[in-house]
Amino acid sequence: MLRRSHFEWKLLMWVIMAISIQMLSGPNAWAVSDQGTFTNEAECQAALDEAVPRTLSEDMRIAWEQGELKYLCLKVRGTGPTAN
């Protein structure tokens, strides 16, 4: 078993991220803050499944349906140093 360094958060959090790529401006990603944070991936995925596409605006729903916008659950990384 791997031991976590003392720099990593003791509380593990998961968030829903929205990701798109624009032709001229490149990648765009943001946390879906109105859904909050989750203690594990299963909770995050359940909230994502319940919210998308029901809560999306018309433009966002169309982008999601056409594959131009993706939503996924990501674990929040600790604040300590990382290996390059």
Side-chain angles (χ1 to χ4, degrees):
M1 176 185 282
L2 296 176
R3 176 182 280 179
R4 292 193 181 104
S5 74
H6 66 281
F7 292 108
E8 291 186 84
W9 289 10
K10 298 297 181 195
L11 175 64
L12 299 178
M13 290 190 305
W14 290 79
V15 296
I16 297 174
M17 294 293 297
I19 300 171
S20 69
I21 297 179
Q22 307 298 319
M23 182 67 88
L24 299 176
S25 60
N28 188 12
W30 64 95
V32 181
S33 58
D34 60 335
Q35 291 296 317
T37 59
F38 308 92
T39 57
N40 60 55
E41 186 175 15
E43 287 178 4
C44 183
Q45 190 62 51
L48 177 60
D49 293 343
E50 193 277 325
V52 175
R54 183 183 59 78
T55 60
L56 299 179
S57 68
E58 183 70 14
D59 290 341
M60 296 295 252
R61 184 187 57 77
I62 291 169
W64 176 76
E65 287 174 348
Q66 294 177 349
E68 298 169 354
L69 176 64
K70 295 290 183 181
Y71 291 89
L72 55 110
C73 291
L74 287 179
K75 187 189 293 187
V76 177
R77 293 180 68 181
T79 59
T82 58
N84 290 333

